[in-house]
Amino acid sequence: MSNTTVSGAASTLDGDDLSVSDFADHVQMLTDRINDLEAAVTEKDEHIADLRVDLERKDARITELEERVANQRTKQTRQRPIG
């Protein structure tokens, strides 16, 4: 009996009379699928790394803008006349 995985690959082979060639083909199909999934994971990991770099840049920009606003408020407070 064959169990189909979420990825669509059969996890077992059907039939009692299994040839070495069929088994080899099945192993190759599973190996190819594993390689495809590993490549997809690598691609997603690279994308995540890019997003983290982008987030760090944006966080730095936010900090810079917050400091600028704080400095402007300090200047405005100092420039107000007392009394």
Side-chain angles (χ1 to χ4, degrees), residues 30-56:
L30 293 175
T31 301
D32 292 344
R33 184 67 183 140
I34 289 168
N35 291 338
D36 291 345
L37 291 170
E38 287 175 342
V41 167
T42 298
E43 183 179 319
K44 295 201 183 295
D45 286 346
E46 291 169 357
H47 184 67
I48 289 169
D50 291 343
L51 290 172
R52 285 185 175 149
V53 168
D54 191 39
L55 182 60
E56 288 173 8

Side-chain angles (χ1 to χ4, degrees), residues 1-12:
M1 181 171 282
S2 176
N3 296 322
T4 304
T5 63
V6 175
S7 66
S11 60
T12 59

Side-chain angles (χ1 to χ4, degrees), residues 60-80:
R61 180 67 176 145
I62 289 169
T63 300
E64 176 186 316
L65 292 172
E66 288 173 341
E67 289 172 356
R68 184 182 300 173
V69 168
N71 288 338
Q72 288 174 349
R73 285 184 183 155
T74 302
K75 285 181 185 178
Q76 289 172 351
T77 303
R78 289 180 185 165
Q79 292 174 353
R80 285 189 196 154

Side-chain angles (χ1 to χ4, degrees), residues 12-29:
T12 59
L13 292 173
D14 290 332
D16 295 329
D17 188 26
L18 183 63
S19 73
V20 172
S21 177
D22 289 340
F23 182 72
D25 289 345
H26 185 71
V27 169
Q28 185 60 52
M29 180 203 52

